[in-house]
């Protein structure tokens, strides 16, 4: 019988061919950076992206009451002046904006279009934050990518599934389908006076590098802040028992709603992970970083403010730890226990029956 | 002394009153839903009542598909639906939606809430949520044998008064308390026992105002809706199935005086 | 009221609710739950009294301290699982032999005679008796006894409350692989049967980790594959070492393959959680229920109905058509050769690159319904293909031999070497799940995408592993 060609190849050469084939497969299928992923990115229509981004930006200006021109559009979209003026011309010819002495304003159609894009963006951000395990720093970028090609129907289906959310994970209200949006609340942190306290309701997510730093510092919407003192270029405030000192530029990225009736919480919480075996404490809350299904699960199991929790057994490998709460022992991983706040009791007399 | 084994002489202790029907459930008089946290013995109670053998096991989350069965008690035919075990009815998980939609739209004549007597507090979380939806419920205080071994004493009278529904201690595994349960189900189903279910008291005034505002609007649109406040709360939480029910007007068919055996067409209860 | 007006009013209610929601703020859902808990806690305080110590609970705690202790936790677990597996393998031998003696050695010839006496056409008898009946008989006799032992034992452990402790102890290992501790259980269940293992993944309530557990379950060497491993190891590994340690070496090889499966399932879990499944939602929760004495009779009953019969039924449903196909490919001729021989000749060169052969490839394709019938199919095809006379029971009739030596001589005559044996063992671990499992994966995930991935990922891996083993072998052996 004739020996087939394939069997005549030297084993060494064969090995190399095999390795190359494997590399090729990896290169094609690798998520995000592989060939297939790149191809799917190419499909996105660049013109639509620019149009929608410009509308979003213009709405943002309007909402914040600032004036916007071709220059700032170019800056925000990261395109050159020529492209920007062409874009503006197009928008004018589509009847979406008007230009008046440099100042650009949205028409009514333009506004409702931009609200639609914003709704899509924020609903997806909410989805990414709650229903996937994507890192916080990626929510915004991924939503920025998605908003240009998901359909309105998909978005509405998603919103319905999530219980029609009204806030995105940065604390911004999500416009309704009809384009309603509440008027802005709160004021930037840099305008607060010493002695005032409030709740962070919004963290501006652009530019990205400032946003990331704020997140790394552990600040999140829903956190209580208390301004300790303000000296010309520094604002010092306390949040969750930590002291922060920011420049006004940084502080302006945080929007705070003032609290008048509630006394600010000044005590720093301990973390559940710091509980030693046999020790008992009262739960103070769950960190907002713990979201979506994970948060629901913990609350279902009785991790709610006020209930008592005791560390009881360590697993054979040390992590997770079994905690007893509301009569049940539940295993909690260290990483989750670090997202649960507790108040230690003054004296620890844990009655175990040993 | 536990009340569940002193009933040799009382009238309900009459096995002849109970005929287990298994899967044969034509022309039922009453629909009974079994709800509760996972691993509290729902399937065990269900099996005791219907004579079926649903998988039971000491591991939360193993009853996945919904089971139905039937029995006859005092010449009335009952259909029992074993709902998936959930911790809550307020989130958006499929299991919870199945249970919630059945209790709301399926309008069972009685909802039996099976709770674990050794973890009453956590189980009451779900109980209170169910009581906000339905007016007709029985609390089956199961695993009483374990509670006893742990020296936990439960004052059923206080509990029943607080919750406004009958409370029946049981140990389903030993088939204790089942006759009392059957009897309580009958009393609630026929209206002999009128429930006055507990309403949540510790909500902030801001939330109560919001609820009242929406509830008033609902009342005007859907007169006779038995659980307006709860529906209002669900709207404030953005619950899609309730929003759809408002839109389609289906909410209007839920009526306090009428039981809903006719209404099963609208359900998607297969998990 | 006219309908238009009503619709308007309904929309007004909804939009009023929406407006209020903005005022209620972001933590509204949390506050709603907290207030319910507050009421619950007040009612509980009024009606529950703890008298004296917590009896049974402190007993539970004592047991837990032992089964989760640093030193005893893992050894206890291994002993427990080892006992279950030993009982399964040792206990299944005898009933398996009886079933096979009855269904295959006794009933099969009887059926053939009956067919002949009513003058059934030979092809119809072939399709029905040699094809459909025989493959069904094979699946029942090999599959039923181990499952009927394994599942009740496992269910007893489950009922007792021990399994959640295993998950608790194993979690840190699985966490590093991006998976859930409960995967330890679906994996162990997979050693019994992958379809049951896939179903067992239901206890994992986090979507991502559950998918991981489902996709990697096939790396647990299931009951249907143990006999193949043992047979091939005895023939090929046992024969290259001195006779005194032959038994030990072949047993070691089988255990090595099983452990390799565990390693693969952890590595693949890690890879999946870092790539395709990275974005899927993940939530960890693990409740440690109280220990409860299991109810033995009830448990045996339900585990037989829910698991054993259920899985067996699915397997039979798939095995019958496969038996028919097996018989047909061996008996339909195109030119001089049967379809099977055509395929074997055509695929042989490619198969050899992977250190396998055309017979093995064909056997794995047509025996997809159940791993149990792979060896009988291979033997039948080898005899058919190499034209051995006086062996086997005719074309298309699967068979097995009582003597390992006879089996070995057939395989050697079919051109098998030590390398073929090693590769078959690897390929038997790393190939597509059986059709019952594939169907179960589809049922459980409800997604074609994940079903396709779970089916093809192991084949690709298996082919890659066999390929590199073979080529490196050739390089070293010159
Ligand atoms: N000791 C005791 N165990 C029970 C009782 N009722 C149920 N069980 C056990 O609790 C476990 C869970 O029961 P199951 O009916 O599956 O609970 P489900 O998840 O609510 O359907 C099983 O192991 C049962 O045998 C009871 O009254 N006493
Ligand atoms: Mg159940």
């Amino acid at each position: 019988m004739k020996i087939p060609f394939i069997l005549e190849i030297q084993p060494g050469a064969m090995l190399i061919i095999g390795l190359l084939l494997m590399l090729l497969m990896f290169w094609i299928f690798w998520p995000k950076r592989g060939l297939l992923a790149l191809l799917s990115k190419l499909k996105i229509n660049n013109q639509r992206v620019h149009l929608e981004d410009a509308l979003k930006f213009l709405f943002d200006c309007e909402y914040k009451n600032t004036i916007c021109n071709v220059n700032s559009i170019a800056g925000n979209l990261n395109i050159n002046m020529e492209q920007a003026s062409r874009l503006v011309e197009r928008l004018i010819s589509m009847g979406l904006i008007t230009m008046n002495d440099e100042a650009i304003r949205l028409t009514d159609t333009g506004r409702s279009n931009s609200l639609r894009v914003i709704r899509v963006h924020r609903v997806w951000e909410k989805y990414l934050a709650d229903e996937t395990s994507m890192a916080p720093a990626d929510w915004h970028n991924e939503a920025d990518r998605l908003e240009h090609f998901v359909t309105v129907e998909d978005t509405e289906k998603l919103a319905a599934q999530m219980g029609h959310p009204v806030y995105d994970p940065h604390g911004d209200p999500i416009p309704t389908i009809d384009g309603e949006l509440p008027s802005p609340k709160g004021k930037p942190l840099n305008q607060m006076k010493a002695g005032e306290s409030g709740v962070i309701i919004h963290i501006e997510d652009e530019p990205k590098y400032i946003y990331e730093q704020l997140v790394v510092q552990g600040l999140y919407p829903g956190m209580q802040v208390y301004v300790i003192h303000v000296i010309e270029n520094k604002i010092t405030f306390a949040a969750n028992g930590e002291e922060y000192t920011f420049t006004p530029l940084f502080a302006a990225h945080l929007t705070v709603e003032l609290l008048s009736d509630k006394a600010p919480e000044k005590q720093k919480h301990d973390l559940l992970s710091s509980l030693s075996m046999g020790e008992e404490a009262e739960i103070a809350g769950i960190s907002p970083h713990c979201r979506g299904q994970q948060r629901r699960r913990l609350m279902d199991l009785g991790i709610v403010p006020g209930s008592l929790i005791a560390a009881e057994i360590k697993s054979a490998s040390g992590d997770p730890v079994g905690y007893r709460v509301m009569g049940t022992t539940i295993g909690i991983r260290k990483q989750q226990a670090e997202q649960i706040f507790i108040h230690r009791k003054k004296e620890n007399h844990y009655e175990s029956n040993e | 002394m536990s009340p569940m084994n002193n009933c040799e002489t009382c009238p309900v202790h009459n096995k002849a009153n109970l005929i287990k029907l298994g899967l044969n459930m034509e022309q039922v008089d009453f629909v009974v839903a079994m709800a509760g946290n996972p691993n509290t013995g729902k399937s065990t109670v269900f099996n005791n009542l219907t004579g079926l053998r649903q998988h039971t096991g000491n591991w939360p989350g193993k009853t996945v598909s919904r089971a139905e069965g039937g029995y006859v008690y005092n010449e009335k035919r009952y259909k029992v639906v074993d709902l998936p075990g959930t911790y809550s009815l307020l989130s958006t998980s499929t299991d919870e939606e199945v249970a919630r939609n059945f209790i709301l739209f399926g309008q069972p004549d009685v909802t039996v809430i099976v709770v674990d007597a050794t973890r009453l507090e956590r189980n009451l979380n779900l109980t209170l949520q169910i009581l906000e939806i339905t007016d007709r419920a029985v609390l089956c205080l199961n695993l009483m044998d374990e509670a006893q071994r742990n020296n936990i004493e439960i004052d059923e009278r206080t509990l029943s008064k607080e919750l406004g529904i009958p409370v029946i201690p049981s140990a389903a595994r030993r088939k204790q308390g089942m006759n009392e349960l059957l009897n309580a189900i009958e009393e609630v189903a026929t209206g002999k026992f009128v429930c006055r279910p507990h309403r949540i008291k510790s909500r902030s005034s801001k939330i109560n105002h919001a609820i009242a505002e929406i509830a008033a609007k609902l009342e005007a649109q859907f007169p006779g809706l038995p659980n307006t406040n709860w529906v209002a709360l669900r709207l404030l939480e953005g619950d899609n199935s309730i929003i759809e029910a408002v839109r389609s007007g289906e909410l209007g068919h839920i009526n306090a005086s009428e039981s809903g055996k006719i209404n099963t067409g609208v359900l998607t209860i297969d998990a | 009221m006219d309908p238009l007006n009503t619709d308007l009013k309904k929309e007004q209610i909804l939009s009023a609710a929406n407006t209020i929601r903005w005022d209620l703020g972001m933590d509204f859902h949390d506050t709603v739950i907290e207030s319910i808990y507050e009421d619950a806690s007040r009612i509980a305080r009024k009606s529950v009294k703890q008298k004296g110590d917590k009896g049974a609970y402190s007993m539970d705690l004592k047991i837990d301290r032992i089964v989760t202790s640093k030193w005893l936790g893992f050894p206890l677990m291994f002993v427990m699982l080892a006992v279950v597996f030993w009982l399964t393998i040792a206990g299944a031998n005898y009933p398996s032999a009886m079933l096979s003696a009855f269904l295959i050695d006794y009933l099969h010839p009887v059926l053939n005679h009956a067919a002949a006496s009513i003058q059934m056409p030979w092809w119809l008898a072939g399709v029905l008796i040699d094809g459909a009946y025989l493959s069904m008989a094979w699946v029942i006799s090999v599959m039923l006894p181990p499952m009927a032992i394994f599942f009740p034992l496992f269910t007893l452990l489950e009922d007792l409350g021990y399994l959640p402790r295993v998950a608790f102890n194993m979690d840190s290992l699985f966490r590093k692989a991006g998976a859930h501790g409960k995967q330890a259980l679906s994996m162990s269940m997979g050693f019994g049967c992958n379809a049951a293992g896939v179903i067992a993944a239901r206890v994992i309530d986090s979507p991502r980790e559950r998918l991981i557990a489902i996709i990697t379950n096939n790396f647990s060497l299931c009951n249907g594959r143990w006999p193949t491993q043992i047979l091939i190891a005895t023939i090929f590994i046992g024969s290259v070492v001195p006779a005194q340690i032959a038994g030990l070496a072949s047993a070691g090889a089988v255990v090595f393959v099983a452990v390799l499966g565990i390693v693969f399932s952890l590595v693949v879990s890690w890879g999946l959680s870092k790539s395709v499944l990275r974005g899927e939602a993940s939530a960890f929760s693990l409740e440690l229920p109280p220990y409860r004495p299991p109810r033995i009779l009830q448990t045996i009953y339900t585990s037989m109905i829910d698991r054993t019969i259920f899985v067996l039924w699915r397997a039979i449903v798939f095995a019958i058509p496969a038996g028919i196909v097996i018989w047909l490919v061996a008996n339909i001729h195109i030119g001089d050769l049967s379809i099977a021989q055509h395929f074997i000749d055509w695929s042989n060169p490619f198969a050899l690159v992977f250190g396998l052969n055309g017979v093995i490839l064909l056997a794995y394709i047509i025996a997809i319904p159940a791993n149990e019938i792979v060896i009988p199919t291979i033997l039948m095809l080898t005899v058919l293909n190499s034209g051995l006379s006086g062996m086997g029971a005719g074309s298309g009739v699967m068979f097995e031999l009582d003597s390992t030596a006879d089996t070995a001589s057939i395989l050697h005559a079919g051109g098998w070497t030590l390398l073929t044996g090693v590769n078959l063992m690897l390929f038997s671990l790393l190939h597509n799940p059986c059709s019952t499992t594939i169907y179960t994966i589809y049922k459980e995930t409800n997604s074609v995408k994940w079903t396709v991935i779970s089916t093809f990922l192991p084949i690709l891996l298996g082919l890659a592993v066999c390929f590199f083993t073979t080529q490196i072998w050739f390089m070293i052996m010159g």
Side-chain angles (χ1 to χ4, degrees):
Chain A
M1 203 168 82
K2 190 174 135 270
I3 297 177
F5 162 73
I6 198 166
L7 292 179
E8 286 173 4
I9 305 172
Q10 286 297 310
M14 204 70 189
L15 264 181
I16 291 170
I17 295 175
L19 280 173
L20 285 178
L21 263 175
M22 257 175 70
L23 278 179
L24 186 75
M25 298 261 284
F26 273 117
W27 179 63
I28 293 176
F29 289 108
W30 200 253
K32 281 206 162 168
R33 283 191 206 94
L35 189 66
L36 285 181
L38 288 181
L39 280 178
S40 78
K41 265 185 210 158
L42 277 185
K43 269 193 280 177
I44 302 168
N45 175 346
N46 253 319
Q47 201 165 35
R48 183 177 160 197
V49 172
H50 282 161
L51 275 178
E52 292 181 343
D53 282 346
L55 286 176
K56 235 172 41 169
F57 173 66
L58 285 166
F59 183 83
D60 216 35
C61 295
E62 190 178 289
Y63 199 67
K64 286 184 196 144
N65 245 329
T66 54
I67 303 222
C68 157
N69 52 31
V70 180
N71 226 325
S72 51
I73 291 185
N76 183 273
L77 268 64
N78 212 356
I79 51 180
N80 62 36
M81 279 300 283
E82 201 194 313
Q83 285 173 307
S85 13
R86 250 185 293 139
L87 186 62
V88 167
E89 269 164 38
R90 245 185 83 94
L91 284 167
I92 293 176
S93 71
M94 290 167 79
L96 298 175
I97 58 172
T98 57
M99 192 148 85
N100 209 331
D101 276 353
E102 297 274 289
I104 299 173
R105 286 204 175 77
L106 287 166
T107 62
D108 284 345
T109 338
R111 190 171 305 111
S112 77
N113 271 335
S114 57
L115 278 165
R116 204 199 65 229
V117 183
I118 291 172
R119 175 170 171 82
V120 173
H121 177 90
R122 291 186 181 165
V123 165
W124 279 88
E125 257 185 342
K126 172 81 176 165
Y127 167 77
L128 294 172
D130 282 10
E131 314 285 329
T132 73
S133 38
M134 193 170 277
D138 293 338
W139 299 337
H140 179 71
N141 294 341
E142 182 66 12
D144 255 352
R145 199 175 66 76
L146 285 167
E147 71 193 7
H148 301 300
F149 61 89
V150 295
T151 63
V152 173
E153 291 80 57
D154 282 346
T155 308
E156 289 318 316
K157 232 198 252 158
L158 196 68
Q161 234 175 57
M162 287 191 293
H164 302 276
V166 288
Y167 283 102
D168 78 357
H170 308 292
D172 293 328
I174 300 176
T176 61
I177 313 178
D178 311 325
E180 283 170 66
L181 198 63
S183 42
K185 281 193 297 190
K187 58 180 179 184
L189 179 64
N190 60 340
Q191 290 172 18
M192 282 174 72
K193 297 185 201 63
E196 281 183 333
S197 67
V199 177
I200 300 178
I201 55 168
H202 167 73
I203 300 181
E204 179 55 39
D205 53 13
E206 263 169 359
K208 201 178 166 199
Y209 72 97
I210 294 191
Y211 175 67
E212 274 171 6
Q213 281 189 49
L214 293 172
V215 170
V216 168
Q217 301 249 8
L219 296 167
Y220 49 78
M223 200 172 193
Q224 283 199 12
V225 294
Y226 170 71
V227 178
I228 302 173
H229 54 244
V230 186
I231 28 177
E232 43 182 307
N233 264 328
K234 295 264 181 281
I235 174 162
T236 304
F237 62 94
N240 186 24
E242 304 270 3
E243 244 184 64
Y244 298 84
T245 302
F246 279 6
T247 60
L249 176 74
F250 247 72
H253 280 80
L254 297 171
T255 311
V256 177
E257 188 174 40
L258 293 189
L259 278 178
S260 42
D261 46 348
K262 237 189 330 196
E265 260 186 61
K266 287 182 197 159
Q267 190 192 352
K268 183 178 160 87
H269 302 308
D270 289 330
L271 301 178
L272 181 61
S273 51
S274 69
L275 218 55
S276 47
M277 284 310 112
E279 201 182 351
E280 191 176 46
E282 190 185 301
I283 292 168
I286 307 176
S287 153
H289 290 306
C290 174
R291 314 179 60 95
Q293 198 186 359
Q294 181 69 72
R295 188 182 188 84
R296 293 199 290 268
R297 229 345 61 95
L298 288 176
M299 294 188 87
D300 283 345
L301 292 170
I303 311 279
V304 283
S307 55
L308 295 179
I309 191 165
E312 199 161 67
I313 44 168
K314 264 200 172 107
S315 85
S317 49
D319 178 18
V321 167
Y323 294 93
R324 193 154 183 91
V325 60
M326 288 193 189
T328 316
T329 309
I330 52 178
I332 298 184
R333 286 178 178 170
K334 182 152 180 279
Q335 182 207 350
Q336 295 173 296
E338 282 167 352
Q339 297 186 323
I340 298 171
F341 303 132
I342 53 167
H343 286 309
R344 277 217 157 67
K345 292 183 177 167
K346 293 285 164 304
E347 299 144 286
N348 274 310
H349 289 306
Y350 175 48
E351 297 121 309
S352 67
N353 339 301
E354 283 173 280
Chain B
M1 190 61 255
S2 135
M4 63 207 168
N5 38 21
N6 61 2
C7 235
E8 299 300 329
T9 50
C10 65
V12 293
H13 194 87
N14 180 3
K15 284 264 187 310
N17 285 348
L18 174 68
I19 305 164
K20 295 172 181 177
L21 284 181
L23 285 169
N24 170 17
M25 312 163 280
E26 277 140 32
Q27 295 173 333
V28 291
D29 298 298
F30 300 111
V31 176
V32 179
M34 308 268 305
N37 283 14
N39 219 24
T40 53
K42 282 183 305 304
S43 300
T44 312
V45 174
F46 175 86
N47 291 346
N48 281 348
L49 297 186
T50 60
L52 291 173
R53 290 198 176 83
Q54 267 288 300
H55 182 83
T56 60
N58 194 9
W59 180 278
K62 76 265 148 201
T63 305
V64 173
S65 46
R66 181 187 57 124
E68 287 185 4
Y71 69 87
V72 176
Y73 183 72
N74 283 343
E75 279 139 41
K76 290 271 189 266
R77 301 172 78 88
Y78 293 78
K79 176 168 114 177
V80 194
V81 180
D82 190 13
L83 296 174
T86 61
Y87 293 105
S88 164
L89 295 178
L90 293 173
S91 318
T92 42
S93 85
T94 340
D95 269 4
E96 298 190 12
E97 218 166 288
V98 170
R100 179 170 68 220
N101 286 357
F102 189 81
I103 298 172
L104 182 66
F105 300 120
Q107 284 193 283
D109 298 276
V110 185
T111 303
V112 176
I113 311 167
V114 183
V115 300
D116 178 346
T118 62
R119 300 171 172 69
L120 191 59
E121 185 175 348
R122 192 176 79 174
N123 281 254
L124 281 178
N125 176 39
L126 177 72
T127 307
L128 293 178
Q129 292 182 26
I130 294 175
L131 291 186
E132 287 207 287
I133 306 179
T134 176
D135 280 347
R136 289 180 298 227
V138 173
L139 190 81
C140 173
L141 196 54
N142 196 29
L143 291 147
M144 277 306 277
D145 52 333
E146 284 203 12
Q148 265 163 23
R149 280 200 299 150
N150 283 307
N151 295 319
I152 294 171
E153 197 170 77
I154 298 180
D155 178 357
E156 298 125 31
R157 288 217 177 160
T158 312
L159 191 58
S160 171
K161 226 166 58 206
E162 286 287 331
L163 296 175
I165 55 171
V167 172
I168 310 296
S170 75
R173 208 167 136 148
R174 304 179 184 174
K175 300 195 164 52
Q176 287 167 344
M178 291 300 116
N179 291 299
E180 292 80 353
L181 183 64
L182 287 166
N183 198 43
I185 294 173
E186 183 189 37
E187 285 188 348
V188 173
T190 54
K192 233 198 266 168
F193 186 106
V194 181
C195 301
R196 305 200 185 294
H198 175 96
R199 298 287 177 229
I200 303 297
K201 301 194 172 69
S202 27
R203 284 197 183 114
S204 72
S205 59
K206 185 172 161 192
I207 295 181
N208 278 332
H209 276 137
I211 292 177
E213 190 182 328
I214 302 298
K217 289 194 163 75
L218 282 168
E219 189 66 50
Q221 186 66 32
F222 304 104
L225 191 67
N227 31 25
T228 334
N229 278 346
W230 183 81
V231 174
L233 182 68
R234 289 316 294 161
L235 288 182
L236 290 173
E237 290 232 54
D239 185 323
N240 196 50
S241 51
I242 309 293
I243 291 179
E244 286 308 320
V246 169
R247 276 218 175 97
S248 67
E250 190 190 312
L251 210 57
H253 302 310
I254 299 179
N255 201 305
S257 55
E258 193 187 319
S259 92
K261 287 174 291 286
I262 14 114
N263 206 2
T264 40
V266 296
L267 287 176
T268 43
I269 19 187
D270 278 301
Chain C
M1 245 188 312
D2 69 306
L4 244 158
N5 201 354
T6 333
D7 277 354
L8 199 69
K9 283 228 173 90
K10 286 177 194 161
E11 287 306 321
Q12 274 168 359
I13 299 178
L14 297 179
S15 102
N18 211 58
T19 314
I20 298 178
R21 290 180 70 196
W22 275 316
D23 287 335
L24 291 172
M26 281 177 283
D27 55 356
F28 176 58
H29 183 73
D30 284 10
T31 18
V32 167
I33 293 187
E34 280 160 28
S35 55
I36 296 171
Y37 267 115
E38 219 171 298
D39 273 31
S41 143
R42 205 181 37 231
I43 296 174
R45 268 200 307 274
K46 273 191 203 163
S47 48
V48 182
K49 242 188 250 130
Q50 174 76 54
K51 298 182 308 182
D53 79 339
K54 299 184 184 169
Y57 159 65
S58 57
M59 188 66 203
D60 274 15
L61 190 56
K62 281 194 191 109
I63 300 176
D64 270 344
R65 293 236 161 93
I66 296 169
V67 301
T68 64
S69 83
K70 215 168 167 182
W71 305 113
L72 280 174
F74 290 118
L76 262 174
M77 191 180 78
F78 288 122
V79 168
M80 205 79 105
L81 290 180
V83 168
V84 169
F85 285 122
W86 180 79
L87 283 176
T88 307
I89 293 174
N93 266 337
Y94 187 62
S96 256
M98 282 203 338
L99 274 174
S100 125
F102 175 70
L103 292 175
I104 297 169
D105 299 343
Y106 172 72
L107 207 55
H108 181 230
V110 168
L111 285 174
N112 267 333
H113 279 302
S117 69
I118 60 164
Q119 284 166 356
M120 193 186 265
W122 70 274
W123 54 270
L124 187 60
V127 165
L128 290 183
I129 299 169
D130 294 341
Y133 169 75
L134 203 54
S135 82
M136 183 190 82
W138 226 291
V139 167
I140 293 179
S141 58
V142 183
M143 201 164 168
L144 181 60
M147 290 210 305
I149 299 172
F150 182 77
F151 288 143
L153 284 177
F154 213 77
T155 314
L156 281 181
L157 284 184
E158 176 180 331
D159 225 20
L160 187 67
Y162 179 64
L163 294 189
R165 272 74 185 178
V166 172
F168 184 60
N169 283 337
M170 296 295 286
D171 185 63
S172 72
L173 178 65
F174 283 93
R175 176 171 41 90
K176 285 174 196 137
H180 196 296
K182 287 181 191 168
Q183 191 173 325
L185 308 166
S186 60
M187 249 171 81
S188 318
M189 191 67 112
F191 282 114
C193 166
N194 294 133
V198 168
I199 295 176
R202 279 178 188 175
V203 294
I204 303 175
D205 55 4
S206 166
R208 178 171 74 179
E209 283 75 4
R210 177 155 173 242
L211 270 175
I212 292 179
I214 289 177
I215 297 173
T216 59
N217 196 271
N218 186 42
F219 297 118
S220 293
L221 200 63
C222 69
N223 252 321
R225 292 182 271 173
W226 286 98
T228 312
Q229 297 284 347
I230 294 170
L231 180 73
I232 300 298
T234 317
I235 294 176
F236 291 98
I237 311 280
S239 63
V240 291
V241 294
Q244 311 90 282
I245 57 163
L248 204 63
S250 35
V254 176
V255 171
F256 174 80
V257 170
V259 172
L260 191 70
I262 299 179
V263 172
F264 262 104
S265 100
L266 287 172
V267 171
V268 172
S269 296
W270 179 84
L272 287 170
S273 73
K274 288 279 174 286
S275 60
V276 240
L277 289 172
R278 196 167 59 157
E280 297 286 318
S282 151
F284 178 81
S285 76
L286 176 59
E287 210 176 317
L288 301 177
Y291 290 101
R292 282 175 187 153
R295 276 185 305 173
I296 296 173
L297 287 179
Q298 160 115 25
T299 303
I300 291 175
Y301 176 86
T302 48
S303 70
M304 286 294 273
I305 298 293
D306 283 13
R307 288 182 172 146
T308 313
I309 301 297
F310 178 76
V311 170
L312 187 71
W313 175 244
R314 275 194 184 175
I316 289 175
V317 167
F318 284 107
I320 288 176
I324 296 175
V325 171
I326 291 173
W327 190 87
L328 289 177
V329 295
N331 281 285
I332 297 182
H333 290 254
I334 300 176
D336 293 344
L337 298 175
S338 63
I339 296 181
Q341 283 162 307
H342 278 296
F343 180 87
I344 293 169
D345 284 348
W346 171 78
S347 64
N348 221 15
F350 297 99
L352 288 175
V353 172
F354 297 98
L356 301 166
N357 59 40
V359 167
I360 298 178
L361 282 194
L362 181 59
Y364 270 103
I365 293 172
I366 55 184
I368 184 179
N371 287 288
E372 284 82 0
I373 56 175
V374 165
I375 285 291
T377 311
I378 285 180
L379 288 177
M380 181 274 283
L381 289 173
T382 307
V383 170
L384 179 77
N385 195 46
S386 43
L388 295 171
S389 55
M391 290 278 196
S395 57
V397 185
M398 294 174 277
F399 67 94
E400 228 167 43
L401 297 170
D402 291 338
S403 133
T404 313
D406 291 347
T407 312
S409 63
I410 291 186
L411 293 179
H412 285 305
W416 289 49
T417 61
L418 173 58
L419 180 64
T420 322
V422 168
N423 278 323
L424 178 60
M425 286 177 78
L426 290 172
F427 196 66
S428 144
L429 174 72
L430 302 169
H431 70 280
N432 58 284
C434 67
S435 48
T436 315
T437 307
I438 296 176
Y439 177 68
T440 308
I441 292 174
Y442 177 71
K443 278 264 162 185
E444 294 294 302
T445 58
N446 230 331
S447 138
V448 176
K449 178 179 160 197
W450 298 125
T451 313
V452 168
I453 289 185
S454 336
T455 308
F456 288 99
L457 186 74
I459 303 189
L460 285 179
L461 265 175
L463 289 178
V465 168
C466 290
F467 174 82
F468 286 109
T469 314
T470 308
Q471 298 303 328
I472 291 172
W473 183 289
F474 283 157
M475 253 175 54
I476 294 172
M477 298 296 170

